[in-house]
Amino acid sequence: MKAQALVTGASSGIGRIYATAWAARGHDLVLVARREERLREVAAELGEKYGVAAEVVVADLRGEDDRSRVAERAVGCGILVNNAGFSGYGAFAEIAASVAADLVGVHILATLAITRAALPGMLASGQGVIVNVASGLAFSGSADPALLPGRATYSAAKSFVVTFSRVLAGEVGGRGVTVQALCPGRTATEIHDEPPRDYEMSAEDVVAASLAALETGELVCLPGLEDISLVAQLGAVERSLLAGNNRSQLADRYLGGEAR
Ligand SMILES: NC(=O)c1ccc[n+]([C@@H]2O[C@H](COP(=O)([O-])OP(=O)(O)OC[C@H]3O[C@@H](n4cnc5c(N)ncnc54)[C@H](OP(=O)(O)O)[C@@H]3O)[C@@H](O)[C@H]2O)c1
Protein backbone atom coordinates (compact mmCIF):
# COMPACT_ATOMS: atom_id res chain seq x y z
CA MET A 1 0.00 0.00 0.00
CA LYS A 2 1.23 3.49 -0.86
CA ALA A 3 2.12 5.87 1.93
CA GLN A 4 -0.42 8.45 3.05
CA ALA A 5 0.66 12.03 2.42
CA LEU A 6 -0.17 14.70 4.99
CA VAL A 7 0.03 18.23 3.60
CA THR A 8 -0.44 21.30 5.79
CA GLY A 9 -1.65 24.45 4.12
CA ALA A 10 -3.33 22.37 1.42
CA SER A 11 -6.19 24.83 0.85
CA SER A 12 -4.19 27.04 -1.55
CA GLY A 13 -0.87 27.86 -3.20
CA ILE A 14 2.12 25.55 -2.90
CA GLY A 15 0.34 23.14 -0.53
CA ARG A 16 -2.53 22.61 -2.92
CA ILE A 17 -0.07 21.77 -5.70
CA TYR A 18 1.77 19.29 -3.45
CA ALA A 19 -1.55 17.63 -2.63
CA THR A 20 -2.25 17.35 -6.36
CA ALA A 21 1.21 15.92 -7.04
CA TRP A 22 0.97 13.23 -4.36
CA ALA A 23 -2.57 12.33 -5.44
CA ALA A 24 -1.38 12.03 -9.05
CA ARG A 25 1.18 9.50 -7.79
CA GLY A 26 -1.61 7.48 -6.15
CA HIS A 27 -1.11 8.52 -2.53
CA ASP A 28 -4.08 8.96 -0.21
CA LEU A 29 -4.13 12.39 1.38
CA VAL A 30 -4.61 14.11 4.72
CA LEU A 31 -5.27 17.76 3.96
CA VAL A 32 -4.79 20.32 6.73
CA ALA A 33 -5.71 24.03 6.90
CA ARG A 34 -8.29 26.35 8.45
CA ARG A 35 -10.63 26.95 5.49
CA GLU A 36 -12.84 23.87 5.49
CA GLU A 37 -14.74 24.67 2.32
CA ARG A 38 -11.53 25.07 0.32
CA LEU A 39 -10.12 21.83 1.72
CA ARG A 40 -13.29 19.93 0.86
CA GLU A 41 -13.14 21.32 -2.66
CA VAL A 42 -9.51 20.14 -3.05
CA ALA A 43 -10.34 16.75 -1.52
CA ALA A 44 -13.33 16.24 -3.83
CA GLU A 45 -11.42 17.31 -6.94
CA LEU A 46 -8.39 15.12 -6.26
CA GLY A 47 -10.45 12.18 -5.06
CA GLU A 48 -12.48 12.23 -8.24
CA LYS A 49 -9.56 12.85 -10.61
CA TYR A 50 -7.05 10.40 -9.15
CA GLY A 51 -9.21 7.93 -7.22
CA VAL A 52 -7.41 8.54 -3.94
CA ALA A 53 -8.95 8.96 -0.49
CA ALA A 54 -8.60 12.53 0.75
CA GLU A 55 -9.31 13.28 4.39
CA VAL A 56 -9.86 16.83 5.56
CA VAL A 57 -8.50 18.02 8.91
CA VAL A 58 -9.59 21.55 9.77
CA ALA A 59 -7.01 23.00 12.12
CA ASP A 60 -5.49 26.31 13.09
CA LEU A 61 -1.80 25.61 13.57
CA ARG A 62 -1.32 28.77 15.65
CA GLY A 63 -2.83 26.88 18.58
CA GLU A 64 -1.26 24.09 20.58
CA ASP A 65 -4.40 21.95 20.79
CA ASP A 66 -4.85 21.95 17.03
CA ARG A 67 -1.13 21.29 16.48
CA SER A 68 -1.38 18.27 18.78
CA ARG A 69 -4.48 16.99 17.00
CA VAL A 70 -2.74 17.22 13.61
CA ALA A 71 0.40 15.62 15.06
CA GLU A 72 -1.68 12.68 16.31
CA ARG A 73 -3.14 12.32 12.84
CA ALA A 74 0.34 12.38 11.32
CA VAL A 75 1.28 9.13 13.08
CA GLY A 76 1.45 6.47 10.40
CA CYS A 77 1.73 8.92 7.49
CA GLY A 78 4.73 8.12 5.29
CA ILE A 79 4.89 11.52 3.58
CA LEU A 80 4.77 14.89 5.32
CA VAL A 81 4.73 18.30 3.72
CA ASN A 82 5.03 20.93 6.44
CA ASN A 83 3.95 23.82 4.27
CA ALA A 84 1.35 25.95 6.10
CA GLY A 85 2.48 29.50 6.59
CA PHE A 86 1.77 33.20 6.44
CA SER A 87 4.05 36.20 6.11
CA GLY A 88 3.21 38.35 9.16
CA TYR A 89 5.55 41.05 7.86
CA GLY A 90 6.04 44.28 9.77
CA ALA A 91 8.71 46.22 11.64
CA PHE A 92 9.49 44.11 14.68
CA ALA A 93 9.07 47.04 17.12
CA GLU A 94 5.59 47.60 15.78
CA ILE A 95 4.01 44.24 14.99
CA ALA A 96 1.71 42.71 17.57
CA ALA A 97 3.69 40.33 19.76
CA SER A 98 0.98 37.77 19.03
CA VAL A 99 1.82 37.86 15.30
CA ALA A 100 5.44 36.95 16.02
CA ALA A 101 4.29 34.16 18.34
CA ASP A 102 1.81 32.90 15.72
CA LEU A 103 4.58 32.83 13.09
CA VAL A 104 6.64 30.66 15.40
CA GLY A 105 3.59 28.48 16.07
CA VAL A 106 2.67 27.85 12.44
CA HIS A 107 6.13 27.70 10.85
CA ILE A 108 8.18 26.14 13.65
CA LEU A 109 6.10 24.48 16.38
CA ALA A 110 3.71 22.82 13.94
CA THR A 111 6.63 21.50 11.86
CA LEU A 112 8.28 20.12 15.00
CA ALA A 113 5.11 18.54 16.43
CA ILE A 114 4.04 16.90 13.18
CA THR A 115 7.53 15.66 12.31
CA ARG A 116 8.14 14.35 15.82
CA ALA A 117 4.88 12.41 15.71
CA ALA A 118 5.41 10.80 12.30
CA LEU A 119 9.15 10.17 12.30
CA PRO A 120 9.33 7.09 14.58
CA GLY A 121 6.91 5.21 12.31
CA MET A 122 8.91 6.19 9.26
CA LEU A 123 12.14 5.01 10.85
CA ALA A 124 10.52 1.76 11.95
CA SER A 125 9.29 1.06 8.42
CA GLY A 126 12.55 2.21 6.85
CA GLN A 127 10.87 4.70 4.54
CA GLY A 128 9.49 8.20 4.61
CA VAL A 129 9.58 11.63 3.07
CA ILE A 130 9.56 14.90 4.99
CA VAL A 131 9.43 18.16 3.05
CA ASN A 132 9.67 21.28 5.18
CA VAL A 133 8.75 24.38 3.26
CA ALA A 134 11.19 27.13 4.21
CA SER A 135 12.06 30.08 1.96
CA GLY A 136 14.96 31.74 0.20
CA LEU A 137 14.57 34.32 2.97
CA ALA A 138 16.20 31.79 5.29
CA PHE A 139 19.41 33.11 3.73
CA SER A 140 18.52 36.81 4.04
CA GLY A 141 20.38 37.64 7.26
CA SER A 142 22.88 39.82 5.39
CA ALA A 143 20.39 41.29 2.92
CA ASP A 144 19.74 45.04 2.74
CA PRO A 145 16.84 45.66 5.18
CA ALA A 146 15.62 48.48 2.95
CA LEU A 147 14.98 45.96 0.19
CA LEU A 148 13.40 43.32 2.44
CA PRO A 149 11.81 45.24 5.32
CA GLY A 150 9.76 43.79 8.17
CA ARG A 151 10.84 40.19 7.83
CA ALA A 152 12.83 39.48 11.00
CA THR A 153 10.52 36.86 12.48
CA TYR A 154 9.52 35.30 9.17
CA SER A 155 13.13 35.01 7.93
CA ALA A 156 14.33 33.65 11.28
CA ALA A 157 11.51 31.09 11.33
CA LYS A 158 12.50 29.93 7.86
CA SER A 159 16.18 29.73 8.93
CA PHE A 160 15.02 27.50 11.76
CA VAL A 161 13.21 25.27 9.29
CA VAL A 162 16.31 24.99 7.08
CA THR A 163 18.71 24.19 9.93
CA PHE A 164 16.24 21.79 11.54
CA SER A 165 15.86 19.95 8.25
CA ARG A 166 19.59 19.79 7.55
CA VAL A 167 20.53 18.56 11.01
CA LEU A 168 17.61 16.11 11.09
CA ALA A 169 18.62 14.74 7.70
CA GLY A 170 22.07 14.02 9.13
CA GLU A 171 20.52 12.36 12.19
CA VAL A 172 18.30 9.98 10.22
CA GLY A 173 20.67 9.52 7.28
CA GLY A 174 20.88 6.03 5.81
CA ARG A 175 17.64 4.89 7.48
CA GLY A 176 15.29 5.32 4.54
CA VAL A 177 13.82 8.70 5.47
CA THR A 178 14.40 11.56 3.02
CA VAL A 179 14.29 15.08 4.41
CA GLN A 180 14.15 18.23 2.31
CA ALA A 181 14.15 21.94 3.09
CA LEU A 182 12.36 23.57 0.19
CA CYS A 183 13.43 27.20 -0.18
CA PRO A 184 11.29 28.88 -2.80
CA GLY A 185 11.98 32.37 -4.00
CA ARG A 186 9.01 34.63 -4.59
CA THR A 187 6.13 32.41 -5.73
CA ALA A 188 2.77 33.44 -7.18
CA THR A 189 0.31 32.53 -4.41
CA GLU A 190 -2.28 34.09 -2.14
CA ILE A 191 0.32 34.78 0.55
CA HIS A 192 1.16 38.11 -1.10
CA ASP A 193 -1.08 41.09 -0.71
CA GLU A 194 1.08 43.22 -3.02
CA PRO A 195 1.00 43.19 -6.84
CA PRO A 196 2.78 40.29 -8.59
CA ARG A 197 6.49 40.67 -9.38
CA ASP A 198 8.01 39.81 -12.74
CA TYR A 199 10.41 37.33 -11.10
CA GLU A 200 7.66 35.26 -9.43
CA MET A 201 7.74 31.51 -10.04
CA SER A 202 4.59 29.42 -10.32
CA ALA A 203 3.68 27.10 -7.44
CA GLU A 204 3.63 24.28 -10.01
CA ASP A 205 7.29 24.85 -10.89
CA VAL A 206 8.28 25.13 -7.22
CA VAL A 207 6.69 21.76 -6.45
CA ALA A 208 8.18 20.20 -9.60
CA ALA A 209 11.64 21.28 -8.38
CA SER A 210 10.96 19.83 -4.93
CA LEU A 211 9.87 16.47 -6.32
CA ALA A 212 12.87 16.33 -8.66
CA ALA A 213 15.16 17.17 -5.73
CA LEU A 214 13.61 14.34 -3.69
CA GLU A 215 14.62 11.98 -6.48
CA THR A 216 18.23 13.21 -6.51
CA GLY A 217 18.48 13.51 -2.73
CA GLU A 218 19.09 17.26 -2.81
CA LEU A 219 18.54 18.29 0.82
CA VAL A 220 18.26 22.06 0.37
CA CYS A 221 16.16 22.75 -2.70
CA LEU A 222 16.32 26.27 -4.16
CA PRO A 223 14.07 26.03 -7.24
CA GLY A 224 15.43 29.05 -9.11
CA LEU A 225 19.12 28.80 -8.23
CA GLU A 226 21.33 27.75 -11.13
CA ASP A 227 24.63 27.46 -9.25
CA ILE A 228 23.96 24.68 -6.72
CA SER A 229 27.65 24.66 -5.73
CA LEU A 230 26.76 27.73 -3.60
CA VAL A 231 24.99 25.43 -1.13
CA ALA A 232 28.17 23.38 -0.72
CA GLN A 233 30.14 26.62 -0.30
CA LEU A 234 27.73 27.75 2.40
CA GLY A 235 28.29 24.44 4.20
CA ALA A 236 32.05 24.86 3.97
CA VAL A 237 31.86 28.41 5.42
CA GLU A 238 29.60 27.19 8.24
CA ARG A 239 32.01 24.40 9.15
CA SER A 240 34.90 26.90 9.22
CA LEU A 241 32.92 29.18 11.55
CA LEU A 242 31.99 26.27 13.79
CA ALA A 243 35.48 24.82 14.05
CA GLY A 244 37.27 28.18 14.21
CA ASN A 245 35.11 29.37 17.11
CA ASN A 246 35.64 26.28 19.27
CA ARG A 247 38.93 27.06 21.00
CA SER A 248 40.08 28.13 24.44
CA GLN A 249 41.68 31.43 23.39
CA LEU A 250 40.05 34.70 22.46
CA ALA A 251 40.41 35.78 18.88
CA ASP A 252 43.13 38.42 18.42
CA ARG A 253 40.65 41.21 17.73
CA TYR A 254 39.29 40.89 21.31
CA LEU A 255 42.75 41.22 22.91
CA GLY A 256 42.93 45.03 22.71
CA GLY A 257 42.47 47.61 25.51
CA GLU A 258 41.96 46.37 29.08
CA ALA A 259 41.50 42.78 28.05
CA ARG A 260 45.09 42.73 26.87
N1 LIG B 1 4.65 32.49 -2.00
C1 LIG B 1 5.93 32.77 -1.77
O1 LIG B 1 6.51 33.72 -2.33
C2 LIG B 1 6.70 31.90 -0.82
C3 LIG B 1 8.11 31.94 -0.89
C4 LIG B 1 8.84 31.16 -0.01
C5 LIG B 1 8.18 30.35 0.89
N2 LIG B 1 6.82 30.33 0.94
C6 LIG B 1 6.19 29.46 1.94
O2 LIG B 1 5.35 28.55 1.26
C7 LIG B 1 4.37 28.05 2.17
C8 LIG B 1 3.01 28.05 1.48
O3 LIG B 1 2.62 29.39 1.23
P1 LIG B 1 1.95 29.87 -0.14
O4 LIG B 1 2.89 30.81 -0.78
O5 LIG B 1 1.46 28.69 -0.88
O6 LIG B 1 0.76 30.77 0.44
P2 LIG B 1 -0.81 30.56 0.53
O7 LIG B 1 -1.40 30.31 -0.81
O8 LIG B 1 -1.30 31.72 1.32
O9 LIG B 1 -0.94 29.22 1.37
C9 LIG B 1 -0.71 29.18 2.75
C10 LIG B 1 -1.39 27.95 3.30
O10 LIG B 1 -1.12 27.88 4.71
C11 LIG B 1 -2.35 27.73 5.39
N3 LIG B 1 -2.30 28.38 6.69
C12 LIG B 1 -1.97 29.67 6.96
N4 LIG B 1 -2.10 29.91 8.28
C13 LIG B 1 -2.52 28.75 8.84
C14 LIG B 1 -2.87 28.38 10.16
N5 LIG B 1 -2.84 29.25 11.17
N6 LIG B 1 -3.26 27.11 10.40
C15 LIG B 1 -3.34 26.22 9.37
N7 LIG B 1 -3.04 26.52 8.10
C16 LIG B 1 -2.64 27.77 7.84
C17 LIG B 1 -3.39 28.40 4.49
O11 LIG B 1 -4.68 27.83 4.70
P3 LIG B 1 -5.88 28.48 5.51
O12 LIG B 1 -5.83 29.96 5.28
O13 LIG B 1 -7.07 27.82 4.91
O14 LIG B 1 -5.65 28.08 6.92
C18 LIG B 1 -2.89 28.00 3.12
O15 LIG B 1 -3.36 26.72 2.78
C19 LIG B 1 4.46 28.94 3.41
O16 LIG B 1 5.15 28.27 4.43
C20 LIG B 1 5.25 30.14 2.93
O17 LIG B 1 5.94 30.76 3.99
C21 LIG B 1 6.08 31.07 0.09
Side-chain angles (χ1 to χ4, degrees), residues 8-15 32-35 59-62 83-86 106-107 133-136 154 158 183-192:
T8 69
S11 59
S12 65
I14 295 169
V32 182
R34 291 167 301 180
R35 288 171 292 177
D60 185 339
L61 296 170
R62 291 175 296 184
N83 161 79
F86 67 104
V106 175
H107 293 267
V133 179
S135 165
Y154 181 86
K158 293 308 197 184
C183 303
R186 171 103 178 190
T187 308
T189 69
E190 294 173 19
I191 204 169
H192 303 293

Side-chain angles (χ1 to χ4, degrees), residues 152-167:
T153 314
Y154 181 86
S155 298
K158 293 308 197 184
S159 298
F160 178 99
V161 172
V162 171
T163 303
F164 170 64
S165 305
R166 292 170 72 203
V167 177

Side-chain angles (χ1 to χ4, degrees), residues 85-92 95-96 99-100 102-103 107 149-154 191 193:
F86 67 104
S87 58
Y89 294 160
F92 191 69
I95 58 167
V99 170
D102 288 345
L103 269 162
H107 293 267
R151 284 151 167 77
T153 314
Y154 181 86
I191 204 169
D193 45 21

Side-chain angles (χ1 to χ4, degrees), residues 133-208:
V133 179
S135 165
L137 289 172
F139 308 105
S140 67
S142 62
D144 181 349
L147 297 178
L148 293 169
R151 284 151 167 77
T153 314
Y154 181 86
S155 298
K158 293 308 197 184
S159 298
F160 178 99
V161 172
V162 171
T163 303
F164 170 64
S165 305
R166 292 170 72 203
V167 177
L168 182 67
E171 196 175 305
V172 302
R175 296 165 73 186
V177 178
T178 304
V179 181
Q180 179 186 104
L182 173 68
C183 303
R186 171 103 178 190
T187 308
T189 69
E190 294 173 19
I191 204 169
H192 303 293
D193 45 21
E194 322 124 2
R197 304 278 161 84
D198 57 5
Y199 54 85
E200 275 183 0
M201 191 176 278
S202 71
E204 285 80 1
D205 279 351
V206 165
V207 172

Side-chain angles (χ1 to χ4, degrees), residues 5-32:
L6 182 146
V7 181
T8 69
S11 59
S12 65
I14 295 169
R16 183 174 181 147
I17 304 300
Y18 268 117
T20 306
W22 293 122
R25 285 160 176 72
H27 294 274
D28 289 342
L29 302 168
V30 180
L31 305 173
V32 182

